[in-house]
Amino acid sequence: MLFRRLACTLHHLIPPLASAFSRPYLVSVRATSSTWGLKKQRVKNLEKARVLNKMATNNDAEATLAPLRSSVKEQGDYVRSLKENKGSDNDLARAIAELKLRKRTLEDKELELAKPASGEFDRAKMEDLIKRRFYYEQSFSIYGGIQGLYDFGPMGCAIKSNFLAAWRKHFILEEHMLEVDTTCVTPEPVLKASGHVDRFLDYMVKDVKTGDCYRVDHLIKANLEEVIKDKKTAEEDKNKAAKLLGQLDNLDKQGFADAVTSWKMKSPITGNDLSEPVEFNLMFGVSIGPTGLIRGFLRPETAQGIFVNFKRLLEFNQGKLPFACAQIGNAYRNEISPRSGLLRVREFTMAEIEHFVDPSNKDHPKFENVKELVLTWFSACNQMDGQAAQKVAVGKAVADKLIANQTLAYFVSRIYLFLVKVGVDPSRIRFRQHLSNEMAHYACDCWDAEILTSYGWVECVGCADRSAYDLTQHTKATGISLVAEKPLPAPVTVDVVEVIPNRALIGKTFGKSQKKVLEHLSVMPEKEILAFEEDLKSTGASKLTIGGEELAFTKEMAEIKRSQKTKHVDEFTPGVIEPSFGVGRIIYAILEHNFRTRPDDEQRTLFALPPVIAPLKCSVLPLSSNPGFQPLVKQISEALTLNDISHKIDDSSGSIGRRYARADEISIPFGITIDFDTLNNQPTTVTLRDRDSMEQIRIGIDEVVPLIVSLVNGRSNWDAAVQKYPKFTAQETTGKKD
């Protein structure tokens, strides 16, 4: 048995080869400087070979993509032609559908060619680590789980908390934003005014026997893709299926029904017949109060809570524009068929900013700070022409009108800097502009920060110019004037038309609604007042929609007065620039981009998260159960706590290598080891280990905590620490994970 253990130990002591992604694993004998030099040279040679291979591969890929790009451009030009010549809506819809199909074919081929031949990423291994170390898990799993709902475990919760703390610092603190926390339960009139009640819809079909529901566009897409892949399918049917795939986004209820019927689609689980498509509002409905008469919804976004408080926020900001307000909170979307883990869920955390600005001046005072930053832009023109995304400096993008204004470009830049800070691979970020036909009903321009994952390009942050849509809609619905003021260069005399209400009669007629009626009449635009006056003159009565309710007025209730007034200020409805972050999606992308396996043992997996969002910042590891270690463990732990450094003490009986492996799996970036040299040497020193390189340095016990604080806060880095302190070359003893 002794010889077997010795043989096993010697096997683990063989230094593994270096990798381009992880440095060699340290074991428990001293490594010579010549060995390290050899390993570094191997890394350089590997990197050089990869660069040369990538250049050759890029040339081959472009040759393959060229005809697909040409096909997209041809269809894009046709769509432009139809718009310029005012072609029929049907022709335009068909042309756009075909354009989408060709774009999708091009992007699928781009992703296929971009995949590494070695298959570096193993999603199954990553998901195993996520589940084993309880980063997150499907909710109510002991009851079988609920699709689209997830619980964050201790490490996932810590990552999310650190992510949001970094977000607050990067945006709210550095940009001097206001912050609110508004309710999730939202009355129906609010979301009716914002457009969500009427537009937040998908179509679904049901299994006629089991009642299982499926989102019909996803069902059709899955079926048609199978048809196209099937070698037995006739070429003509493949072409029909491909054409219908490109039209999915433009189909109405009847179009979906025809597709399900003509392709004889059945329930994917039971094979049963499917019902006719029905509209399904993606918002969760709720009843407010004991009577259930007040209808509401769980909010689908956090933005409306900011818009309805605009007047108070403007007052708090002393009437000054521009200003921004942020909100972090949960939103709810009752997805018909959630999928892909955290990428499409029913309850999720959003972090949104509403930056209110004078629509006549969208320059930003800090634009100079970001204008040299080079980003990857995938403009609408690039997409229509079948061209790849382009790298352009932010200042040039604004000067060339690639992006509409400085404020929108500034926030796009800040989004990029934040994503990189929290661990997203910068080479896998692009900003894609929405095409006109996919723009949200409230937006006049929108750029999505898309992150490349194993699922393809995933929209993780939207940065939209919402113009004045929301404030205007809420003003119309409530009669409350949501406007700002700016001084005029000189006083101006203007004609004024206003409604003078008969308050007594209005109070008697409308009762509890009197206040909102009077407020509505006081802010009616001139055009509406003149129409109201014409109705009263011609018929003696008129109807106005106030707060979602149609109310009848007689000519005795109000008169129209004309006068002149000198104006010293100009009233206007502010425009809004909105960055909106899907927190769960970004966290998933970060985990995927930072998942690693050790080169000497592919079963040893870890997340190389940056310290700013790592769930714990440091581990404290006494080498053994020697009683002399305990006072030092306590001293270091208290110092870490005093400096707000989250940490874990692992004094279990496992080998030091096994404990390092456990710390790596929960992404702890630094580890302090207290060994026998700590007890025997003066001055007292400990070793500090870096998770990613597995290098260790020897450092004084009084210096180690300040260094960790500096490393975690980004004021220093590991390379600088290695230059300052002596390397500790005793190596790690590997151990199996548990």
Side-chain angles (χ1 to χ4, degrees), residues 162-210:
N162 293 340
F163 176 97
L164 294 176
W167 191 89
R168 273 196 170 92
K169 182 177 184 298
H170 187 86
F171 289 104
I172 296 176
L173 296 181
E174 293 183 18
E175 303 295 340
H176 305 287
M177 295 177 179
L178 308 179
E179 185 178 7
V180 295
D181 183 3
T182 65
T183 178
C184 295
V185 178
T186 309
E188 183 181 33
V190 175
L191 294 168
K192 181 76 173 175
S194 68
H196 287 87
V197 171
D198 297 324
R199 292 186 174 96
F200 218 61
L201 303 170
D202 274 332
Y203 287 94
M204 71 174 183
V205 289
K206 287 185 179 181
D207 184 314
V208 295
K209 292 185 178 179
T210 67

Side-chain angles (χ1 to χ4, degrees), residues 182-201 280-289 292-302 304-305 330-334 346:
T182 65
T183 178
C184 295
V185 178
T186 309
E188 183 181 33
V190 175
L191 294 168
K192 181 76 173 175
S194 68
H196 287 87
V197 171
D198 297 324
R199 292 186 174 96
F200 218 61
L201 303 170
F280 179 75
N281 194 300
L282 296 178
M283 294 188 293
F284 286 95
V286 296
S287 297
I288 303 172
L293 298 178
I294 304 175
R295 190 176 178 217
F297 298 94
L298 296 180
R299 64 186 180 191
E301 61 176 23
T302 64
Q304 300 307 319
N330 279 9
Y332 305 83
R333 297 182 184 180
N334 198 8
R346 289 176 167 136

Side-chain angles (χ1 to χ4, degrees), residues 476-502:
K476 287 179 181 177
T478 64
I480 305 296
S481 180
L482 301 177
V483 297
E485 296 179 347
K486 60 181 176 182
L488 292 168
V492 176
T493 301
V494 296
D495 294 325
V496 177
V497 180
E498 58 185 325
V499 180
I500 306 300
N502 182 334

Side-chain angles (χ1 to χ4, degrees), residues 622-639:
L623 194 62
S624 74
S625 57
N626 187 309
F629 291 148
Q630 295 311 308
L632 298 171
V633 169
K634 182 180 179 183
Q635 176 187 337
I636 292 170
S637 177
E638 288 177 350

